[in-house]
Amino acid sequence: KMGIIGSIIVGGIIGALARFFMKGKQNMGMIITIIIGMVSAGLSDWILAKIIGDGHGFISFIVAIVIAVGLISVYLGITNKKTK
């Protein structure tokens, strides 16, 4: 397992990549992007551990980005922040 600094870095990368792949501009800050990325990474690891067990590093990263896109969409919908 990684420490809090590693989690923040990975969460930031996942959140940033998810925002990059989304259409339009997302009106949200860096902190929420990192938090969504961290949550997405955790969900991805948990889901894949249930489905295929351990040893799913790269697949987990890709799934985390997909989950982050969904969570960002939910966040923007809840906060009524429109994409432009």
Side-chain angles (χ1 to χ4, degrees):
K1 300 291 177 178
M2 72 179 83
I4 188 70
I5 301 298
S7 296
I8 290 170
I9 292 169
V10 170
I13 292 168
I14 290 170
L17 285 171
R19 289 181 65 181
F20 175 77
F21 289 120
M22 292 182 74
K23 190 173 185 174
K25 182 182 183 307
Q26 302 83 36
N27 188 15
M28 53 191 280
M30 183 176 61
I31 300 297
I32 194 69
T33 300
I34 292 170
I35 291 170
I36 287 175
M38 290 171 66
V39 169
S40 299
L43 284 172
S44 173
D45 283 344
W46 180 75
I47 290 167
L48 290 175
K50 296 287 185 191
I51 295 172
I52 60 175
D54 292 331
H56 46 76
F58 186 71
I59 296 169
S60 181
F61 187 72
I62 300 301
V63 171
I65 293 170
V66 172
I67 292 171
V69 167
L71 291 178
I72 290 169
S73 297
V74 169
Y75 171 79
L76 294 173
I78 290 172
T79 59
N80 290 320
K81 293 184 176 180
K82 306 289 183 201
T83 58
K84 295 178 182 177

